[in-house]
Amino acid sequence: MKQIIVAIDGFSSCGKSTMAKQLAHEVGYIYVDTGAMYRAVSLFCYRNGWMNDESMDIYSIEKNIENIQLEFRINKNGTAEIFLNGENVEKEIRTLEISNGASRVSTIGAVRKELVRQQQKMGINKGIVMDGRDIGTVVFPKAELKIFLTATPEIRAQRRMDELLAKGEKVIYKDVLANVKERDERDQNRKESPLLQAEDAVVIDNSELTIEQQQILLRKLFDQRIGIA
Ligand code: DC
């Protein structure tokens, strides 16, 4: 089977990882959640005191970014989990605080440069589904299939809240919606690689789609790109 790169970009909490993970599983590709990489950097910065809810020490972050080793390992359920300098941090990076921090560290040029370098290395042999904000525009501008996924902020906030509640976090809808909007604003307006739709991306608004409908659509596009549809 022809090996391609599938780049899935879009706003936070619109289901990019569900979509990417399922496709990768179906077609036997590697799945890379680049948001998890920015989240792990955020966690590392919080732990070292280079970041708190109000400010960040950009100088220290830039100086230490090359000491952050990120790696994905597959667990016994077949799911990729992120390791930060050898430690599994998959659970710790999923809180509201760390996700907000991820959006802030992702505005730093040196952080983006290092993570993009690591991501490009992961895709060297193709056969990869990668999701994020700049995959089709910066990381793999020549990706054979680019998707730009979107849904309304209200629907994304509801989905995010359900996820957090299921994990036992105490959150209220108003805060989650504000967080979604704040991250959208920052992701779209930062100077370094803002969230942009690649010209050749296929736009999918999944506000009114079930996961099954979305997956059928994606698989059709994938089959076309590898030349079997
Ligand atoms: O997809 P996510 O919510 O896990 O991503 C967390 C943050 O990381 C998000 O606010 C923006 C940033 N990010 C980025 O700037 N570029 C990427 N390729 C992936 C994520």
Side-chain angles (χ1 to χ4, degrees):
M1 190 166 81
K2 181 181 163 194
Q3 299 284 296
I4 64 167
I5 292 181
V6 182
I8 302 184
D9 290 304
F11 292 101
S12 63
S13 306
C14 60
K16 294 187 299 292
S17 62
T18 305
M19 179 187 231
K21 221 182 276 177
Q22 195 166 324
L23 177 69
H25 178 75
E26 274 177 32
V27 302
Y29 274 24
I30 293 168
Y31 163 62
V32 176
D33 168 5
T34 62
M37 299 172 76
Y38 288 92
R39 286 166 182 266
V41 172
S42 158
L43 177 66
F44 192 66
C45 294
Y46 264 96
R47 281 180 174 177
N48 283 286
W50 303 324
M51 185 174 203
N52 57 36
D53 292 346
E54 272 87 49
S55 63
M56 55 183 179
D57 173 357
I58 295 180
Y59 174 76
S60 297
I61 298 173
E62 283 178 346
K63 213 171 89 190
N64 289 286
I65 184 67
E66 280 166 24
N67 299 325
I68 303 180
Q69 264 199 12
L70 300 172
E71 194 193 333
F72 288 93
R73 294 188 203 160
I74 309 293
N75 68 16
K76 56 180 187 315
N77 304 322
T79 311
E81 292 181 325
I82 189 151
F83 283 69
L84 164 65
N85 293 337
E87 176 195 349
N88 185 339
V89 291
E90 186 58 41
K91 279 212 181 77
E92 273 180 88
I93 60 165
R94 304 286 165 195
T95 65
L96 217 47
E97 182 179 55
I98 296 302
S99 75
N100 208 23
S103 163
R104 288 159 58 217
V105 290
S106 73
T107 62
I108 303 174
V111 170
R112 301 207 71 84
K113 191 165 164 228
E114 174 59 18
L115 296 198
V116 167
R117 189 189 67 77
Q118 294 190 18
Q119 289 152 11
Q120 287 173 334
K121 219 165 113 192
M122 292 172 185
I124 215 149
N125 295 319
K126 301 201 174 188
I128 196 166
V129 184
M130 193 173 272
D131 77 45
R133 305 290 188 287
D134 57 345
I135 312 306
T137 51
V138 176
V139 183
F140 296 119
K142 293 195 178 139
E144 289 83 353
L145 175 58
K146 298 181 187 177
I147 303 290
F148 191 85
L149 195 61
T150 171
T152 66
E154 290 73 18
I155 285 185
R156 290 186 283 128
Q158 188 60 53
R159 290 177 185 160
R160 181 93 190 104
M161 189 168 93
D162 294 344
E163 246 175 54
L164 291 166
L165 289 176
K167 280 187 206 147
E169 271 209 53
K170 289 193 180 68
V171 284
I172 53 171
Y173 177 76
K174 187 170 73 54
D175 291 346
V176 181
L177 179 63
N179 181 267
V180 163
K181 288 185 172 168
E182 188 187 331
R183 286 210 287 159
D184 284 0
E185 168 72 19
R186 203 179 296 121
D187 289 351
Q188 285 179 290
N189 296 311
R190 66 176 175 232
K191 263 214 310 273
E192 296 284 344
S193 312
L195 171 63
L196 273 179
Q197 187 187 312
E199 261 178 34
D200 50 348
V202 179
V203 181
I204 300 179
D205 182 332
N206 70 7
S207 303
E208 307 285 332
L209 292 181
T210 63
I211 291 182
E212 290 71 29
Q213 289 169 328
Q214 161 181 295
Q215 246 23 69
I216 291 170
L217 196 60
L218 177 64
R219 185 58 194 269
K220 216 185 243 172
L221 292 164
F222 176 84
D223 288 348
Q224 280 168 2
R225 294 304 192 276
I226 63 163
I228 60 167

